[in-house]
Amino acid sequence: MALKSFSFLLILLTLHSFSITSSNSKAIVTSLPGYPGPLPFKLETGYVGIGEKEEAQFFYYFVESERNPDEDPLIFYLTGGPGCSAVITFFYQIGPLSFNFETAPENITLTLNPNSWTKMANVIYVDMPAGAGFSYATTQEAWISSDSIVAKQANDFLRKFLIDHPKFLKNPLYISGISYMGIVTPIVTLEVYNANERGDQPALNIQGYILCSPLTDKFMDFNSRVEYAHRMALISDDIYKSAVENCRGNYVNIDETTNSICADSLERYNECISDINMEDILEPLCNKSDLKPYCREYYYDFAADWANDEAVQQALNIRQGTIGTWEFFNTTMHYTEGKNDTFCYSYDIASSFSYHKKLVSKNCRALIFSGDHDMTFPYVGIEQWIVALGLPVDSSWEPFYVSGQVGGYKTTYAKKDFSLTFATVKGAGHSVAQYKPKEAMVLTERWLDSKTYLSVM
Ligand SMILES: *[C@@H]1O[C@H](CO)[C@@H](O)[C@H](O)[C@H]1NC(C)=O
Ligand SMILES: *[C@@H]1O[C@H](CO)[C@@H](O)[C@H](O)[C@H]1NC(C)=O
Ligand SMILES: *[C@@H]1O[C@H](CO)[C@@H](O)[C@H](O)[C@H]1NC(C)=O
Ligand SMILES: *[C@@H]1O[C@H](CO)[C@@H](O)[C@H](O)[C@H]1NC(C)=O
């Protein structure tokens, strides 16, 4: 009897470990269509299954540091949207490869990105939530997501990934996100700290978080556009003054019937900015259904052609038939100002400010940077919530230099074991590394390397 239940337990254990390893498929990719010869860096792709029955399957690209993978930081990078594919960050921003835009989209070649973050860190790029990139779900319910579901799934993903890659448990860990993932990244980071404090195993070597052009507050960030437009000379002093006076600081969700003078001021503002490209106020505003080669979006077709190619999917070890057409980003999920929930995504967290506030009491470092020509989530609003954290200034606004030129400006705040560096990158638009790749890389590299943050408080 005792023996019987013992062998039953053994079977259970075997089944259990089998179900974990079977769904965490991973493979080393040594070559990719479009790149001549073997890849000069270590790329692994795979899926991590999350949920009781692993019904959500998240696809990832993992690149080991090209410098010193044993000691360099591990960056877990969440792409925005929500619903943008990790291909955007991998091939257009901080990954080791770029598309060669000189070639025709139907004959794509890949080149090395000299400013890849994999030159200083191990980086995990993940397609998250399900419905983004190559990630998918096996049940109806698991296709449905929300800010809080993504935060939970990202934590589960990271933990499972590290259990499966124990060699990286000792590397300094940074949670990172761009754009919309500014809502989710601080939540994931805080949960890692809390799990360590609870004694959850394995303990993760969390050091802090990195945010690029984050959305933090669904009111504040959009509201700051009016002040930004004034600073950047897109609206006159007069228009700004009338908006300030008539709207009393609230330029979002105004009731036009009860506050018609504010509505009038905002109409003048809208007239001035409606044909401005929010992602970079200096770049042309393009017609999405008639893209020209001078439009940045024109080059996004390279990704779609490449990722939908059968040979590419085979090389990446994509599970056939799990998604339909691969999309650059999932338009149903993608958030725009004031958007209501959709059938597949609920925007259930209005602000991540309170999570930043809680992180201030941890032994934690934060790097937050933004392009000064980005009007999506202007640096003005980012600076406002950072100031609202009420931290003492450790080193005040000063230029930082890249190749002997001013790359932008930075300010560092510090209190006890917490430090936060806020930087603006001069001349950059929304996805900073796409506009100013070298500045983004140098800024991040220096910050990662400078572990000597003094705090006097
Ligand atoms: C595709 O690119 C390769 C490498 O540059 C070149 O040899 C080949 O002729 C091109 N094919 C077409 C159809 O343009
Ligand atoms: C977008 O995500 C939803 C929900 O996950 C999914 O049903 C839909 O197929 C996705 N759309 C695209 C174009 O991938
Ligand atoms: C955008 O391009 C489409 C297709 O060429 C055209 O029908 C439409 O009028 C254009 N829209 C604007 C605002 O120019
Ligand atoms: C969101 O839903 C509300 C209530 O149904 C509606 O009044 C509003 O127009 C919707 N907003 C958008 C941006 O669709």
Side-chain angles (χ1 to χ4, degrees):
M1 183 67 194
L3 189 69
K4 226 178 184 175
S5 56
F6 178 64
S7 51
F8 179 60
L9 186 70
L10 263 186
I11 290 167
L12 268 186
L13 280 174
T14 325
L15 279 176
H16 188 237
S17 56
F18 176 71
S19 74
I20 286 177
T21 47
S22 70
S23 62
N24 286 7
S25 63
K26 59 175 191 239
I28 303 298
V29 178
T30 53
S31 67
L32 279 175
Y35 189 81
L39 296 175
F41 51 85
K42 195 166 168 200
L43 169 67
E44 175 193 310
T45 62
Y47 292 88
V48 171
I50 300 297
E52 216 164 293
K53 297 205 178 72
E54 309 199 322
E55 55 273 22
Q57 292 284 329
F58 296 108
F59 185 74
Y60 68 86
Y61 309 75
F62 173 52
V63 181
E64 285 194 9
S65 173
E66 296 166 65
R67 191 173 61 180
N68 184 355
D70 286 344
E71 283 173 21
D72 284 342
L74 173 66
I75 296 179
F76 176 53
Y77 203 96
L78 293 163
T79 305
C84 291
S85 157
V87 157
I88 301 180
T89 38
F90 192 100
F91 286 93
Y92 292 80
Q93 296 170 22
I94 59 163
L97 291 169
S98 312
F99 295 112
N100 182 358
F101 297 130
E102 315 277 281
T103 56
E106 57 281 355
N107 187 14
I108 290 167
T109 59
L110 303 171
T111 54
L112 294 173
N113 170 12
N115 298 298
S116 173
W117 286 20
T118 56
K119 298 204 179 291
M120 57 189 179
N122 304 287
V123 188
I124 310 167
Y125 311 80
V126 62
D127 280 335
M128 194 171 265
F134 289 116
S135 292
Y136 66 96
T138 57
T139 64
Q140 283 288 335
E141 307 83 67
W143 280 108
I144 297 165
S145 205
S146 70
D147 299 337
S148 34
I149 290 174
V150 173
K152 166 109 185 36
Q153 289 176 333
N155 264 296
D156 292 348
F157 176 99
L158 184 60
R159 205 154 268 283
K160 271 197 152 175
F161 180 90
L162 280 167
I163 289 171
D164 208 37
H165 298 75
K167 141 175 185 213
F168 292 97
L169 273 168
K170 62 178 191 324
N171 298 57
L173 171 66
Y174 293 91
I175 315 293
S176 190
I178 180 169
S179 190
Y180 191 87
M181 287 299 143
I183 291 290
V184 169
T185 306
I187 305 177
V188 180
T189 312
L190 182 66
E191 175 51 26
V192 174
Y193 279 96
N194 289 342
N196 280 352
E197 284 166 19
R198 284 196 304 266
D200 289 9
Q201 290 303 320
L204 306 189
N205 186 15
I206 183 79
Q207 302 291 312
Y209 58 113
I210 302 171
L211 293 174
C212 173
S213 318
L215 171 63
T216 303
D217 187 291
K218 287 171 186 164
F219 169 78
M220 208 171 180
D221 285 306
F222 294 108
N223 206 54
S224 73
R225 286 178 178 174
V226 173
E227 185 179 342
Y228 178 80
H230 180 230
R231 289 194 191 183
M232 300 307 276
L234 302 179
I235 57 172
S236 67
D237 291 348
D238 259 5
I239 297 175
Y240 183 59
K241 202 164 152 235
S242 105
V244 169
E245 277 167 11
N246 298 331
C247 307
R248 285 178 227 95
N250 177 6
Y251 314 114
V252 177
N253 317 319
I254 66 138
D255 187 339
E256 297 193 11
T257 50
T258 60
N259 197 350
S260 62
I261 48 167
C262 169
D264 287 346
S265 301
L266 291 185
E267 203 181 304
R268 294 177 65 201
Y269 158 82
N270 277 320
E271 231 171 71
C272 295
I273 63 105
S274 61
D275 288 331
I276 294 290
N277 181 343
M278 292 276 160
E279 303 239 321
D280 182 329
I281 62 166
L282 298 182
E283 290 203 348
L285 180 71
C286 291
N287 179 345
K288 301 242 177 321
S289 39
D290 185 21
L291 291 171
K292 299 280 192 284
Y294 57 76
C295 303
R296 205 166 273 274
E297 296 96 320
Y298 176 85
Y299 299 93
Y300 294 168
D301 280 350
F302 281 70
D305 287 332
W306 190 79
N308 280 306
D309 185 304
E310 213 172 294
V312 169
Q313 296 198 358
Q314 234 164 44
L316 292 173
N317 303 296
I318 299 305
R319 294 176 184 153
Q320 287 306 301
T322 50
I323 65 157
T325 307
W326 179 95
E327 303 269 357
F328 197 67
F329 63 85
N330 188 317
T331 42
T332 318
M333 268 184 222
H334 203 267
Y335 185 73
T336 48
E337 183 182 349
K339 185 172 171 179
N340 288 322
D341 292 351
T342 66
F343 72 93
C344 62
Y345 198 97
S346 156
Y347 309 98
D348 63 347
I349 296 172
S351 171
S352 59
F353 179 74
S354 63
Y355 298 87
H356 288 284
K357 193 96 185 137
K358 288 192 182 110
L359 282 161
V360 165
S361 66
K362 308 291 179 196
N363 187 342
C364 176
R365 311 169 69 214
L367 171 66
I368 294 160
F369 63 94
S370 178
D372 63 8
H373 283 72
D374 176 20
M375 192 164 168
T376 325
F377 309 128
Y379 78 91
V380 175
I382 297 176
E383 201 175 22
Q384 274 164 5
W385 69 253
I386 290 175
V387 167
L389 289 172
L391 297 165
V393 173
D394 195 56
S395 74
S396 53
W397 180 283
E398 62 187 358
F400 67 87
Y401 291 82
V402 175
S403 309
Q405 297 293 328
V406 172
Y409 297 87
K410 67 183 172 65
T411 310
T412 299
Y413 304 83
K415 188 178 184 181
K416 290 195 186 128
D417 294 330
F418 182 83
S419 86
L420 184 154
T421 296
F422 169 57
T424 54
V425 176
K426 187 163 66 76
H430 186 55
S431 43
V432 177
Q434 198 174 342
Y435 297 83
K436 295 283 176 187
K438 185 152 191 198
E439 284 76 1
M441 151 122 180
V442 170
L443 175 69
T444 309
E445 185 177 26
R446 280 186 201 149
W447 179 82
L448 285 171
D449 289 347
S450 71
K451 297 266 279 197
T452 51
Y453 49 94
L454 281 183
S455 69
V456 279
M457 302 298 290

